[in-house]
Amino acid sequence: MIGLISATAAGAAARDRLAAAWPDRTRVYEGPVGDAVRTAFAQCEQLVCFLATGAVVRLVAPLLSGKTEDPGVVCVDEGGRFAVSLLGGHAGGANELAREVGDLLGAEPVVTTATDAVDLAGLDTLGLPVEGDVAGVSRALLDGEAVALRAEVAWPLPPLPVAEEGSYTIRLTDRLVAAAERQAVLRPPTLVVGVGASKGAPVEEVLGLVEDALRDAGLSVASVAELATVDAKAEEAGIVEAARRLGVPLVTYSAEELAGVDVPNPSDAPLAAVGTPSVAEAAALVGGGELLVPKRKSAASPAMATCAVVRRPGRGRLAVVGLGPGARDLLTPRAKAELRRASVLVGLDQYVDQIRDLLRPGTRILESGLGAEEERARTAVEEARTGQAVALIGSGDAGVYAMASPALAEASDDIDVVGVPGVTAALAAGAILGAPLGHDHVSISLSDLHTPWEVIERRVRAAAEADIVVTFYNPRSRGRDWQLPKALGILAEHRAPRTPVGVVRNASRPDESSRLTTLGALDPATVDMMTVVTVGNTATRDIAGRMVTPRGYRWQSAQEGSE
């Protein structure tokens, strides 16, 4: 919960805007400011104070207990100009909260945390348990000193400016090891613990068994991702409470699913009790992985719990990112976040240049020229299969005449794939022209490099006969100068010469140009590969210089009736 505190009418107005926007996330604290801050500090995970930073410093100073315990605190000035991350930038989430508040209120977020200031991923912001010399290693990264990454398991980390060798080390491991001098240890959640238990098994027995099994195998409890068991034990109190104390989810599977998993130590007892010859081993192995601890019974007599431990390596992550039509303000926040998250970026060289400044230090860039789409797709998938966090970029929307199709054709179910939508050229052009896509519309590429012209022509003819608004991509190039006239001729068989046609070149870019003409007047020689051509349907009109297609055909009927 986010506590909201204000002292003046101006602060209260901004406070109320936040409360209205985030009704389920916020709570307003009224009354004397000192009392409100003290109460909210004790009750909330985060605070937004519409007060001077000095006042908030004096109020919270006596309440501070520690970096990992204190809530994140953001201050917003009376004029709503700045949202200052004052306390708990990383641990308390104040840095991200300052950005969110800034977006909502139109304020400038002020973040002074060192790693954020130079756009490095802080070791305590990776979502992984971290221990050891975190401050020393972080300072070395900030100072540009050589920091080595020792990854003992695959995990899709964000970009870090690491080297092959260095006097400081980041160790990525699920082993039960102590951090050495000048070393930070990251604990990826690679371990799945399968658990079986008799009815009424006490939590102490279940939890003790799990902890002993991990310790004896030299594995860190901080790397446990989940407890897994059979559906019939989904509400077994000892298992449920053990998962809660470990701070991990409890995942359950049907007996039928578990019975289909090949295990080294099947048993008749669970088969008779819950319908599968294995619970602990099978539940741990459902998603694949390496069995590190075979089925093990608790030490109690009689033993009421069993467990097994599997290492399930981190899956690589491929984000297919649409960059939009070119303008920076049409690049979505989600796309920016994925670019910052990726440790490997794959893309066309000219698209990489558009967003190079958004990448974090340490991002590995794999760029190539025109015509290498399939190669880029294969490269991105191969990098993801090594456990990397990869971003594959394309213009517009990555799923529209862009990189998503070849990438997903290469990808199998051994990596995670995330699609990030972008503003397409058709949408950008449509917004410039007016509202040409107000009714049914279709996009057709006139490039016959990958599609036979016979297929393209059949699609153009179908759109013409169906009276659908058509946006032509790749309409004309030096080597392809006859396709656009041919397509326009097909449309002209079904639409009047006065049908509005919008022509937009380099939509949203600095040298953008647009014009509204007609089907009969358009000169194809004025069109090139950087142009999008939108041809209206029989209802589309030129209204005050804007291309408008009504949402229905009643307008057209009324127009025809008045002619």
Side-chain angles (χ1 to χ4, degrees):
M1 186 62 66
I2 303 171
L4 305 180
I5 300 104
S6 63
T8 66
R15 176 203 69 191
D16 292 344
R17 286 176 61 192
L18 277 189
W22 300 337
D24 298 328
R25 297 177 61 190
T26 58
R27 179 187 303 161
V28 173
Y29 286 80
E30 303 278 9
V33 171
D35 293 342
V37 169
R38 283 188 289 273
T39 303
F41 200 92
Q43 295 179 348
C44 298
E45 291 81 23
Q46 295 173 320
L47 278 70
V48 178
C49 300
F50 297 86
L51 305 165
T53 54
V56 177
V57 167
R58 286 189 292 272
L59 288 170
V60 303
L63 310 176
L64 302 181
S65 58
K67 181 177 180 179
T68 59
E69 293 83 21
D70 296 330
V73 179
V74 171
C75 290
V76 180
D77 66 291
E78 288 289 303
R81 298 168 301 165
F82 304 104
V84 182
S85 174
L86 184 68
L87 178 69
H90 286 167
N95 291 350
E96 184 57 34
L97 180 60
R99 296 185 182 100
E100 289 187 82
V101 171
D103 286 342
L104 188 61
L105 299 181
E108 180 72 22
V110 178
V111 176
T112 58
T113 309
T115 49
D116 291 78
V118 297
D119 207 21
L120 282 175
L123 297 181
D124 54 352
T125 67
L126 304 182
L128 304 179
V130 58
E131 57 196 59
D133 188 10
V134 179
V137 173
S138 298
R139 176 53 57 189
L141 290 170
L142 289 167
D143 290 344
E145 295 188 44
V147 177
L149 175 64
R150 299 284 179 261
E152 298 173 17
V153 292
W155 197 261
L157 293 174
L160 294 167
V162 292
E164 290 292 328
E165 300 292 337
S167 56
Y168 289 84
T169 307
I170 299 170
R171 185 174 180 181
L172 182 71
T173 182
D174 55 16
R175 305 297 302 179
L176 185 60
V177 294
E181 185 180 359
R182 294 188 170 191
Q183 184 179 80
V185 178
L186 291 171
R187 303 289 190 188
T190 56
L191 305 178
V192 178
V193 181
V195 178
S198 302
K199 184 175 177 59
V203 62
E204 290 77 13
E205 183 172 346
V206 176
L207 188 59
L209 171 64
V210 171
E211 292 175 338
D212 289 347
L214 291 168
R215 184 184 60 254
D216 292 349
L219 300 170
S220 172
V221 69
S223 283
V224 175
E226 63 189 45
L227 293 193
T229 191
V230 67
D231 282 348
K233 298 297 179 179
E235 298 182 6
E236 185 64 47
I239 296 178
V240 172
E241 178 62 14
R244 189 193 69 79
R245 293 190 190 180
L246 289 169
V248 299
L250 176 62
V251 179
T252 64
Y253 301 96
S254 69
E256 183 179 6
E257 287 179 278
L258 298 185
V261 178
D262 187 27
V263 298
N265 300 293
S267 172
D268 292 335
L271 180 62
V274 293
T276 172
S278 172
V279 172
E281 287 182 339
L285 284 166
V286 165
E290 177 187 3
L291 183 63
L292 301 179
V293 179
K295 183 176 70 173
R296 171 171 171 164
K297 294 182 179 181
S298 56
S301 183
M304 298 185 72
T306 60
C307 81
V309 182
V310 164
R311 176 182 288 136
R312 191 181 295 172
R315 291 163 61 88
R317 188 175 190 276
L318 173 61
V320 189
V321 182
L323 300 180
R328 180 58 60 85
D329 59 353
L330 292 182
L331 178 66
T332 67
R334 186 179 299 181
K336 291 179 183 177
E338 288 295 345
L339 294 175
R340 290 167 53 79
R341 175 175 181 166
S343 59
V344 179
L345 181 85
V346 182
L348 179 67
D349 47 14
Q350 63 190 57
Y351 296 152
V352 172
D353 289 340
Q354 290 180 21
I355 49 83
R356 196 183 297 271
D357 63 301
L358 296 177
L359 304 178
R360 277 179 158 161
T363 304
R364 185 156 54 94
I365 300 173
L366 304 176
E367 55 188 314
S368 53
L370 286 168
E373 287 80 10
E374 286 79 7
E375 179 186 344
R376 283 195 291 275
R378 284 193 294 271
T379 297
V381 171
E382 289 167 1
E383 289 288 336
R385 283 181 176 144
T386 67
Q388 302 290 329
V390 182
L392 174 63
I393 59 174
S395 66
D397 182 281
V400 179
Y401 304 123
M403 294 305 302
S405 295
L408 269 63
E410 292 285 338
S412 51
D413 63 358
D414 57 346
I415 61 173
D416 294 326
V417 178
V418 178
V420 182
V423 177
T424 67
L427 294 177
I432 294 165
L433 294 169
L437 310 182
H439 206 288
D440 296 335
H441 54 275
V442 63
S443 295
I444 299 177
S445 172
L446 294 183
S447 172
D448 54 1
L449 295 177
H450 299 286
T451 306
W453 175 253
E454 294 76 15
V455 175
I456 297 172
E457 182 173 339
R458 188 165 67 246
R459 291 170 180 172
V460 174
R461 195 170 300 280
E465 293 173 352
D467 197 30
I468 296 175
V469 174
V470 181
T471 297
F472 289 124
Y473 280 69
N474 307 312
R476 187 177 180 274
S477 67
R478 292 181 198 171
R480 295 186 303 99
D481 58 1
W482 59 267
Q483 286 90 341
L484 179 58
K486 177 69 173 176
L488 294 174
I490 295 171
L491 292 175
E493 295 173 12
H494 300 271
R495 299 177 196 184
R498 67 176 184 276
T499 301
V501 175
V503 181
V504 180
R505 188 177 189 279
N506 283 332
S508 86
R509 299 185 183 186
D511 56 346
E512 168 191 300
S513 64
S514 65
R515 68 184 190 276
L516 187 57
T517 182
T518 64
L519 185 58
L522 175 62
D523 179 4
T526 63
V527 173
D528 63 13
M529 281 289 287
M530 306 304 293
T531 305
V532 172
V533 178
T534 301
V535 182
N537 65 10
T538 57
T540 305
R541 295 290 183 267
D542 177 345
I543 301 177
R546 302 182 185 92
M547 188 175 178
V548 181
T549 302
R551 294 181 62 186
Y553 278 72
R554 288 177 293 177
W555 177 14
Q556 181 185 19
S557 300
Q559 292 275 356
E560 292 173 347
S562 63
E563 291 177 355

